[in-house]
Amino acid sequence: MSRVLSVRSLLAGLYILLIASCGLEQSTRTEIDLLGTTCTVTVYARKPSPVLEKSFARIREIDRLMSYTGDESEVAAINRKAGDGGVSVSSSTLEVVERGLYFSKLGGGRFDITIGPLVELWGIGKENPGRVPSAEEIRDAVSRINYRRVRIEGERVALENPGMAIDLGGIAKGYAADEIVRILKDSGVKHALINLGGNVYAHGKKPDGSLWRIGVQNPESNRGSYLGVLTVADRAVVTSGPYERFFTLDGKRYHHILDPETGFPVENGLSSVTIVAENSMDADALSTLVFVLGVEKGLELVESLEGIEALLVTEEKKLFSSSGMESIFKLTNEEFSL
């Protein structure tokens, strides 16, 4: 199995509500275990289109290039050559690495694409994690995390120090969604929904001309229960939270969202973060970064970025949102307060 999702799983915490076809043909295709998750693309058009096959061919290509492991993975090749000159990569991998470095710098390393050693150490999401690493192991892994030690020269990506490892799990699925949107536009598709394991993109409006309604998962409840509804078009919606990938040991839960500074799962009182953005790659990275930063610093960052909105849910069932979120979000669960 590929492990593009090793930094964090994008939650299946977004639900498409009240879809109407209005006479257009609905074509849906789903493939399991691409990018480490279930990928679904639904298009609405007058007649069948080869766009679904093109879309999934592109997802498979991104999965092949950017998985953490695999003989054909360019990311795995970069990691194998850590401290030894690096490798030449495709324009796709180069674009994602460069954008990942942008967000690594933007967050001061709280989101760091070189988090691979720490993710590998904890193993959360593998079949049998269930072990808390020792303090010495964590110190060693953290010492090998440093986005500033990634060098790009032309098409060549190099890790300066042996033992470093890039992991694009926090951004690659967003890139894949953006690439599908590009394919849809090139093919003339005006209405579509992309769902890559909870990383949702609403392309255009619904066929009846109304906005898409996307439910946001209640992090305190079973999958399928939502706390509110987002109303959007031509926007990516990505949710990050600790409630789907974790293990419990001696009564304590350890989840998959790891802090590159401490080496441990983040503990800041947040239950989930939902980001709405014009492109999915940015929403993908920011959902993790804002979660790690917490309510105050996370919202401060979001407010400094144009075209980005955020909804943060705390363990106390309080919601905090960016200034533009009120126009697109409606709270529907009275257990929560906004």
Side-chain angles (χ1 to χ4, degrees):
M1 179 187 297
S2 63
R3 223 193 67 213
V4 169
L5 275 189
S6 54
V7 171
R8 68 176 182 81
S9 62
L10 296 192
L11 307 174
L14 299 166
Y15 306 93
I16 313 303
L17 309 175
L18 303 178
I19 295 174
S21 62
C22 294
L24 297 183
E25 181 174 334
Q26 175 181 330
S27 301
T28 301
R29 178 165 174 172
T30 298
E31 290 195 20
I32 298 173
D33 200 22
L34 282 176
L35 301 172
T37 189
T38 300
C39 300
T40 301
V41 179
T42 302
V43 300
Y44 299 84
R46 296 292 180 189
K47 58 183 180 180
S49 166
V51 69
L52 288 177
E53 178 55 42
K54 291 179 182 178
S55 297
F56 278 93
R58 184 63 175 135
I59 297 173
R60 286 190 291 271
E61 181 182 25
I62 293 168
D63 187 37
R64 175 177 59 82
L65 294 174
M66 302 181 202
S67 294
Y68 190 79
T69 59
D71 293 339
E72 297 183 74
S73 168
E74 294 181 341
V75 169
I78 294 168
N79 295 342
R80 286 193 297 268
K81 295 287 287 184
D84 189 26
V87 297
S88 294
V89 299
S90 63
S91 59
S92 297
T93 300
L94 186 62
E95 181 179 353
V96 177
V97 169
E98 288 179 332
R99 197 61 176 166
L101 290 174
Y102 166 80
F103 284 107
S104 298
K105 182 178 181 180
L106 183 70
R110 302 302 295 279
F111 173 93
D112 195 316
I113 62 169
T114 65
I115 199 171
L118 189 62
V119 173
E120 188 72 24
L121 176 63
W122 279 90
I124 299 173
K126 293 185 178 180
E127 292 184 4
N128 299 298
R131 183 183 79 89
V132 177
S134 68
E136 183 179 354
E137 288 175 312
I138 289 174
R139 281 195 300 270
D140 175 65
V142 169
S143 72
R144 291 182 277 135
I145 300 172
N146 192 339
Y147 71 91
R148 300 174 185 85
R149 296 292 179 260
V150 180
R151 291 288 175 264
I152 296 177
E153 297 179 358
E155 298 177 351
R156 199 168 190 82
V157 179
L159 302 176
E160 289 186 353
N161 302 331
M164 292 182 67
I166 286 175
D167 189 318
L168 298 180
I171 196 168
K173 262 203 308 190
Y175 175 73
D178 290 336
E179 282 295 281
I180 297 172
V181 173
R182 178 184 60 79
I183 292 170
L184 295 174
K185 290 179 177 179
D186 289 347
S187 300
V189 174
K190 299 184 182 300
H191 317 282
L193 281 169
I194 301 160
N195 189 343
L196 307 185
N199 185 324
V200 171
Y201 194 98
H203 172 57
K205 295 181 179 180
K206 290 165 62 176
D208 64 3
S210 63
L211 300 177
W212 299 101
R213 301 179 69 240
I214 300 175
V216 179
Q217 164 79 28
N218 176 355
E220 305 297 328
S221 185
N222 294 327
R223 183 181 297 180
S225 173
Y226 55 91
L227 57 84
V229 178
L230 285 160
T231 308
V232 297
D234 290 317
R235 287 293 183 274
V237 182
V238 179
T239 296
S240 181
Y243 53 88
E244 288 210 346
R245 184 168 294 187
F246 62 89
F247 69 89
T248 302
L249 184 64
D250 296 331
K252 183 175 176 61
R253 188 169 72 168
Y254 298 88
H255 60 79
H256 65 279
I257 304 178
L258 303 172
D259 188 333
E261 285 190 356
T262 68
F264 282 87
V266 176
E267 292 186 72
N268 59 12
L270 281 176
S271 291
S272 71
V273 169
T274 297
I275 299 291
V276 180
E278 294 181 4
N279 70 76
S280 191
M281 185 157 55
D282 288 0
D284 198 354
L286 284 169
S287 65
T288 298
L289 174 54
V290 171
F291 191 99
V292 176
L293 289 175
V295 174
E296 184 176 350
K297 291 183 178 179
L299 283 177
E300 182 181 347
L301 174 64
V302 169
E303 295 289 8
S304 73
L305 301 173
E306 185 176 354
I308 306 293
E309 303 298 340
L311 180 72
L312 287 68
V313 184
T314 72
E315 295 171 355
E316 297 178 344
K317 297 187 177 181
K318 294 182 179 180
L319 278 63
F320 296 84
S321 68
S322 57
S323 56
M325 183 62 81
E326 62 182 25
S327 64
I328 60 174
F329 176 76
K330 181 179 180 180
L331 181 65
T332 59
N333 188 322
E334 295 180 353
E335 295 180 3
F336 293 81
S337 61
L338 179 61

